[in-house]
Structures are given as C-alpha cells and as structure tokens.
Amino acid sequence: MSYHIAVAGKGGTGKTTFSAMLIKYLLNKGRRPILAVDADPNANLGEALGVEPETTIADLISETQDRLEPLPGGMAKETYIEYRIQAALAESKDVDLLVMGGPEGAGCYCYPNNLLRKYMERLHTNYPYVVMDNEAGLEHLSRRTTNDVDLLIVVSDPTVRGVRSAGRINELVDGIKLDVKRRFLVISKATAEPEGTLAEEIARTGLPLAGIVPLDPAVTEYDFNGRPLVELPGDSLVARAVTEILDRILA
Ligand SMILES: Nc1ncnc2c1ncn2[C@@H]1O[C@H](COP(=O)(O)OP(=O)(O)O)[C@@H](O)[C@H]1O
Ligand SMILES: [Mg+2]
C-alpha cells in the first residue's frame, strides 16, 4: 500500500513550493521511491523538482484518441496505453513525475480515461509514497476510482480570501466523497503569526493548522533563476519550516 499525500490550494498560494519541499523531506528521511503527480493544469512541479517530462497525460489522451484504431502491429489498446504512460513518466533518482496537463476538452475521453485511471492507479502501487500537487477544483482526485487520500494539505497564503478558499476546498472534499484520513491547513508565505481576523478565518475552515511557512527570499531567488526548489539548502527558512511541520504530523 502506498501512502498518498495530496496538496491542494488556490493558484499562487505556494502548493508547488510546499510539494517540492515535502518531497525533499521524504527523500531525506529515506522514504523512497516517490511518485510525484502534477495534477495542476498550470503545471510547474517538474521545474521545482528539476525533472522534465516529455509529455503529459492530457497530450497522451488526445493523441491516443486519434489513433486508437488501428494500433501499431495489432497491439492491444491497453498495452499501448500502458506503454505510452510509461513514456510520460519522467524518471529521476528516487522521484518519478507524471504531469496530468490539460485541462481536458469536452470531447468523450471516457474510454482512455478509464484505462488511464486503471493503469495510473496500478502505477501508484509501485511506490511507497505518492505526492500529488492539485488545483483547487480537485478535478483529478475526484476522477480516481479509488477515493483514498492518507494526508491532505491545503495551502493558503496569509490572506482572509486565501483562507476562505481553503475552507471551500475542505468542503469540496466532503462533497466529492473523498476518503481523506487526515487533513491540515498550512499558511504559506507568512510574514507573521496569524492573528485577529485571519486567525478567526483559519478557525472557521475547520482545518487544523499544521503550521506556517515563512516568506523566504531564497524561494524567490531560486524561482527567479529557474533553479529547482529541491536544491534549496536544508537550513533555508522554507526547508526548516516544512521539516518542522512534517516531523510533527508524520511522526
Ligand atoms: N515560502 C515562500 N517564500 C517566498 N516565496 C514563495 C514561497 N512559497 C511560494 N512562493 C512564491 O509564490 C509563487 C507561487 O508559488 P507556487 O508554489 O508556484 O504556488 P502554486 O503552486 O500554489 O501556484 C512563486 O512565485 C513562488 O516563488
Ligand atoms: Mg503550482
């Protein structure tokens, strides 16, 4: 059984930064190999991890759509899709990355989707840890046939609007009947401990606050220069904060 961690939040809140630091944390603890899934249409987890996938699942869907019949050499459809997914898997030492891409069009992707889902879920079982970087609508999580998530981290920036959005994501999780074992809120890019209206809004989400990740100039610098965030030093503000949070909740 793999341990499935999902990171969610509004765009720009720091999901990918948190996901990358989470992956760095797991690697440091020897919890490997990890399957990283970028399920945000605005995909940038690969850059944060320093891994470049050749293709996305969305591209693969539209491509297989066009050529489901006939397949090369009379290959079974299922075999072909498995083979293509394998090609979409960007492999690096201890971390493999799948990028969902998209958004999916309105066309009928039902057939490849079912096969894709089946194969992707089988892929998950090859890894003891799966880390999924999601968009706010949880589109891909809601499409899975299995609905279990061991740990959900909702990331928000330190604004009332951001925290309200995190609260809505928490409600959405119940709405789409995801079986989430544990869920937490993380306030990212914080410049102070949350207090006053912000603290009240945090309490209203119903999500326990796992901790805050400070605004770290090193993240800005790495992003500015296109350096992978996993290469941030272990004593950087962001790495220390994420380590402290995860030591606590994954103990
Ligand atoms: N802890 C942090 N300190 C400083 N900047 C951050 C931090 N977390 C995220 N950022 C910046 O905020 C922006 C959005 O972060 P990102 O992780 O890509 O968000 P998301 O994946 O939610 O869209 C990026 O420019 C990133 O550099
Ligand atoms: Mg992102």
Side-chain angles (χ1 to χ4, degrees):
M1 275 301 279
S2 51
Y3 190 82
H4 193 122
I5 307 176
V7 179
K10 194 158 75 72
T13 51
K15 286 184 300 291
T16 300
T17 303
F18 188 88
S19 302
M21 300 316 288
L22 163 66
I23 288 168
K24 182 182 168 74
Y25 172 90
L26 292 174
L27 290 176
N28 283 343
K29 298 280 175 186
R31 302 189 186 181
R32 55 187 82 184
I34 300 168
L35 175 65
V37 181
D38 192 341
D40 190 342
N42 190 3
N44 58 354
L45 186 58
E47 286 160 47
L49 297 176
V51 183
E52 268 318 312
E54 276 168 40
T55 183
T56 68
I57 297 293
D59 286 345
L60 198 152
I61 289 173
S62 45
E63 169 204 324
T64 42
Q65 194 72 7
D66 297 338
R67 56 174 308 173
L68 272 180
E69 329 221 13
L71 288 172
M75 196 188 269
K77 288 171 189 175
E78 190 152 350
T79 315
Y80 180 68
I81 286 176
E82 284 200 20
Y83 156 78
R84 293 297 295 145
I85 291 183
Q86 205 58 46
L89 193 66
E91 297 181 47
S92 74
K93 190 175 175 292
D94 298 322
V95 186
D96 293 348
L97 173 71
L98 261 194
V99 180
M100 301 303 301
E104 290 173 73
C108 183
Y109 289 143
C110 327
Y111 174 67
N113 258 348
N114 286 336
L115 275 186
L116 271 176
R117 272 202 293 241
K118 204 171 100 192
Y119 184 74
M120 280 173 54
E121 277 148 28
R122 203 173 332 138
L123 189 67
H124 285 186
T125 62
N126 294 344
Y127 298 83
Y129 290 88
V130 178
V131 176
M132 198 165 177
D133 184 3
N134 297 275
E135 40 58 90
L138 305 178
E139 180 75 14
H140 289 291
L141 275 180
S142 68
R143 278 163 178 263
R144 292 189 316 158
T145 49
T146 52
N147 57 0
D148 58 306
V149 173
D150 294 285
L151 178 64
L152 170 73
I153 308 273
V154 185
V155 179
S156 172
D157 50 20
T159 66
V160 166
R161 205 173 300 153
V163 170
R164 281 191 186 144
S165 167
R168 283 194 294 274
I169 292 172
N170 188 35
E171 286 166 16
L172 180 63
V173 167
D174 296 322
I176 59 178
K177 298 197 165 43
L178 275 185
D179 178 14
V180 179
K181 307 250 172 1
R182 301 165 75 211
R183 34 179 123 171
F184 293 96
L185 177 68
V186 164
I187 301 291
S188 180
K189 302 197 255 188
T191 50
E193 282 291 330
E195 51 182 44
T197 322
L198 186 62
E200 285 165 26
E201 213 55 62
I202 289 171
R204 212 165 285 153
T205 61
L207 288 164
L209 182 63
I212 64 173
V213 176
L215 189 72
D216 185 348
V219 173
T220 317
E221 187 206 309
Y222 272 56
D223 271 348
F224 185 79
N225 293 309
R227 281 186 73 180
L229 294 173
V230 285
E231 290 175 10
L232 277 163
D235 64 353
S236 62
L237 286 175
V238 74
R240 280 190 349 231
V242 171
T243 299
E244 199 213 286
I245 290 171
L246 295 173
D247 273 346
R248 206 157 357 96
I249 65 179
L250 291 178

